[in-house]
Amino acid sequence: MNNKISSTHLERRAVVYLRQSTPNQVEFHRESTERQYALADRALTLGWDKSQIEVLDSDLGKSGQTTTGREDFHRLMAAVGLGEVGAVLALEASRFSRSQADWHKLLDICALTDTLVIDHDGIYDPNDFNDRVILGFKGTWSHTELHGMRLRLQGAKLNKAKKGELRCSPPTGYVYDPEGKLVLDPDEGVVAAIQLAFQKFRELRTAFKVMRYFCVNQIPFPRRRWRPGDIGTLHWGPANLSRITALLHNPTYTGTYVYGRRRSFNVIEAGQIKKVKIQQLPQEEWKVIIHNAHEAYISWPEYLSNCERLRRNCPISLSDGCPGTPREGFALLQGLVICGKCGRRMSPRYHGTGGCRAAYECTQARKQDGSVGACWSVAGAAIDTAVSAHVLSAFTDEQLDISLAVLSELENIADEADKTWQLRLERARYEAERAFRQYDATEPENRLVARTLEKRWNEKLQQLAELEEAYQKARLVQRLELTAVQRQQILQLANDIPTLWGIEPRYV
């Protein structure tokens, strides 16, 4: 028996602590796990009774950078602090922790309770000066080793990214071909939906209106999932605001390879690292930008214009120079009127019963120096009337061009909507035909499989019938086709622009 191990140590438990950083290491690096379990045999040879040896292995697959989520490590620290442990065993210092703070905290508690630390190299007494120096160096080396590995891995990733060869999960609308190149999704429906989203943002100019257009017109939005067990699977569902916003903010759709748009940092609460936050970096801090790396949906200038438009649409202070988007209320010049006194942007206010009287007020001064009252206020009716008259006078000589432009735009919208429906119908017909081929290829004697395939075929046929019925309703309600009478009505509407100007807009 080693002279550092006394009878007082043997009277207490020997705790073997096991840890692997990831579940993948636990599954494939089994030799390391077996060596850690073998420490229980070493404790037996050092003099501890088998009943006094405890193995803690619930932290297998958990990172040692923090103690968060490592229940066995907390149990170990509590048992050592209560003086119930005579020795703690681990394969090396990095098994206990990759953090120097956590490592030295463990050593301090072991020193207070006269607990030995045992690894594959030797037996150490934290109260012995020489042993404490060696243990401190082992903890420092473990931390340095982790830092070195991170630098090597990050350096290799950055070097590969600079060549445009670092593969990440592609955004919806792109897939990797067999040669590893990023190409447009082979599904025409996916490409059409992405192109439609960008086109609608050019027209509607807000992400919310784009999302609402998809939802009101019952146009599904695609999403390819790349998580384990669901790699590359295409799902169709309703568009939501976050997906539309992410689409518009993603530079990959410009044909540009980008790396390093975000950085992560730890959040420390009560001395512990609780979670990692992601911060978006400005464009000038991106690490890699390679233009024309693959086929694009939009141009780079349009992407920058979209980002600027989204920034200006944010409901931030008007003093930042952003007019924002028109909101509820009938004031014509929302976010456009500039104060003649201070030069700041004025905002609309509504007075009277039901807000029937609009006014433009400048109240930005009170936000700067605490001034009382408005800097300037003016009734909105006179200004809006003057602006309306000026705009209508400009339309007078171009009524025919306006009517033709409106007709062309409505026809384009109808064609886009009809194309989306046709792609959905084509996909539904293919799935129904595929289900029939699977059913038809089944041996009649195999009734269990045949019944299941027949049920699946009937479900696909039912879905196709429902989609065809919905398409016929959409042709009437959403006007996917313009009749000759409707075209004539549109051409006549331009002759009465003042009346149209006074109609309250309705978003569809």
Side-chain angles (χ1 to χ4, degrees):
M1 184 177 68
N2 190 284
N3 56 5
K4 293 182 181 179
I5 303 176
S6 65
S7 58
T8 57
H9 295 131
L10 296 176
E11 291 173 355
R12 292 177 284 171
R13 285 182 292 163
V15 179
V16 179
Y17 180 76
L18 284 71
R19 189 188 64 80
Q20 289 277 73
S21 297
T22 63
N24 185 67
Q25 291 183 359
V26 177
E27 182 177 358
F28 296 105
H29 299 179
R30 299 184 179 180
E31 293 298 327
S32 176
T33 306
E34 291 179 4
R35 290 179 63 198
Q36 294 185 65
Y37 276 111
L39 290 173
D41 296 331
R42 186 180 183 192
L44 191 64
T45 60
L46 290 175
W48 272 274
D49 186 82
K50 189 174 183 179
S51 61
Q52 287 288 85
I53 301 174
E54 181 180 4
V55 177
L56 301 179
D57 57 1
S58 295
D59 288 347
L60 286 171
K62 298 181 180 178
S63 173
Q65 297 185 56
T66 176
T67 59
T68 303
R70 293 166 57 196
E71 300 298 332
D72 272 356
F73 185 80
H74 291 292
R75 289 178 56 194
L76 173 65
M77 294 282 284
V80 172
L82 293 173
E84 299 174 353
V85 180
V88 292
L89 296 89
L91 193 61
E92 55 192 23
S94 63
R95 298 304 96 193
F96 287 113
S97 177
R98 288 285 190 179
S99 168
Q100 291 195 68
D102 295 332
W103 171 248
H104 286 285
K105 187 186 297 183
L106 175 63
L107 294 185
D108 290 338
I109 297 177
C110 288
L112 289 173
T113 58
D114 189 24
T115 302
L116 301 177
V117 178
I118 303 175
D119 63 12
H120 72 291
D121 286 330
I123 302 172
Y124 307 95
D125 182 358
N127 286 309
D128 183 83
F129 175 77
N130 293 325
D131 287 356
R132 185 63 179 262
V133 170
I134 295 175
L135 290 173
F137 176 77
K138 283 177 175 285
T140 303
W141 179 255
S142 174
H143 181 80
T144 305
E145 181 186 27
L146 181 65
H147 178 70
M149 288 191 297
R150 184 182 295 112
L151 286 180
R152 290 193 296 271
L153 293 173
Q154 293 295 336
K157 287 181 62 177
L158 181 59
N159 184 66
K160 197 169 185 178
K162 288 181 178 179
K163 297 184 293 183
E165 298 176 356
L166 182 64
R167 291 181 55 169
C168 304
S169 297
T172 300
Y174 286 102
V175 295
Y176 286 106
D177 65 5
E179 298 179 357
K181 296 181 179 180
L182 202 62
V183 296
L184 296 185
D185 198 299
D187 192 316
E188 294 182 5
V190 175
V191 176
I194 300 298
Q195 291 174 339
L196 181 61
F198 283 117
Q199 182 175 345
K200 285 303 170 184
F201 187 76
R202 296 187 201 108
E203 301 170 4
L204 305 176
R205 302 178 71 80
T206 70
F208 179 82
K209 289 181 180 179
V210 174
M211 180 270 294
R212 189 170 182 179
Y213 173 84
F214 274 83
C215 294
V216 170
N217 292 279
Q218 299 180 357
I219 301 175
F221 201 77
R223 181 182 183 183
R224 283 201 182 273
R225 296 177 178 172
W226 300 98
R227 60 191 181 189
D230 201 16
I231 298 178
T233 305
L234 180 61
H235 297 267
W236 292 86
N240 56 49
L241 187 58
S242 62
R243 294 175 67 184
I244 298 297
T245 305
L247 179 84
L248 297 170
H249 276 299
N250 197 328
T252 305
Y253 293 102
T254 67
T256 302
Y257 180 90
V258 175
Y259 176 75
R261 289 193 298 144
R262 309 175 184 88
R263 71 177 177 188
S264 59
F265 59 95
N266 297 326
V267 178
I268 299 178
E269 299 177 2
Q272 297 290 335
I273 300 176
K274 295 297 184 181
K275 57 184 176 180
V276 176
K277 285 191 175 181
I278 304 298
Q279 180 184 24
Q280 299 287 342
L281 296 177
Q283 182 182 331
E284 56 271 14
E285 296 184 19
W286 294 356
K287 296 180 179 179
V288 178
I289 300 178
I290 304 175
H291 295 290
N292 301 320
H294 51 267
E295 193 171 350
Y297 282 87
I298 59 174
S299 65
W300 179 258
E302 183 177 353
Y303 162 75
L304 297 179
S305 176
N306 290 346
C307 292
E308 177 62 18
R309 169 56 56 183
L310 291 172
R311 187 190 72 83
R312 293 168 67 87
N313 288 348
C314 290
I316 59 178
S317 174
L318 296 178
S319 61
D320 293 336
C322 298
T325 56
R327 304 184 68 84
E328 62 276 1
F330 56 86
L332 181 64
L333 305 177
Q334 299 181 42
L336 299 177
V337 182
I338 304 298
C339 178
K341 286 188 175 182
C342 66
R344 297 185 177 93
R345 203 173 297 274
M346 304 176 74
S347 55
R349 296 290 186 271
Y350 299 95
H351 308 281
T353 304
C356 60
R357 291 184 291 107
Y360 298 103
E361 296 183 359
C362 177
T363 58
Q364 300 300 317
R366 68 177 65 177
K367 298 180 181 180
Q368 305 294 329
D369 54 15
S371 301
V372 179
C375 172
W376 183 254
S377 178
V378 61
I383 299 177
D384 290 354
T385 301
V387 172
S388 298
H390 183 72
V391 172
L392 292 174
S393 65
F395 286 159
T396 304
D397 300 330
E398 302 177 358
Q399 291 181 355
L400 180 59
D401 292 339
I402 293 173
S403 61
L404 292 176
V406 170
L407 178 60
S408 177
E409 181 63 22
L410 290 176
E411 288 179 338
N412 290 336
I413 293 175
D415 290 342
E416 293 167 3
D418 187 71
K419 179 181 178 181
T420 302
W421 277 103
Q422 292 299 332
L423 290 173
R424 293 175 62 187
L425 288 169
E426 183 178 350
R427 183 181 298 105
R429 293 189 186 102
Y430 166 75
E431 292 178 353
E433 292 173 358
R434 183 186 180 200
F436 168 72
R437 289 196 302 269
Q438 292 175 339
Y439 168 73
D440 190 55
T442 307
E443 295 292 339
E445 293 81 6
N446 196 350
R447 297 180 180 178
L448 295 178
V449 176
R451 282 199 296 266
T452 301
L453 294 178
E454 183 181 11
K455 179 180 178 182
R456 186 181 303 171
W457 177 32
N458 289 331
E459 290 175 353
K460 295 298 182 182
L461 290 175
Q462 179 66 25
Q463 293 174 5
L464 176 60
E466 293 175 355
L467 192 61
E468 289 177 339
E469 182 180 356
Y471 172 63
Q472 295 301 326
K473 291 181 180 179
R475 288 170 60 89
L476 300 175
V477 178
Q478 301 175 13
R479 297 180 181 177
L480 300 183
E481 289 184 346
L482 295 178
T483 64
V485 176
Q486 291 171 340
R487 287 188 175 88
Q488 187 62 32
Q489 291 175 345
I490 293 171
L491 292 174
Q492 293 176 353
L493 285 176
N495 296 324
D496 196 10
I497 291 180
T499 302
L500 294 176
W501 183 269
I503 298 177
E504 183 179 353
R506 179 174 61 88
Y507 297 102
V508 296

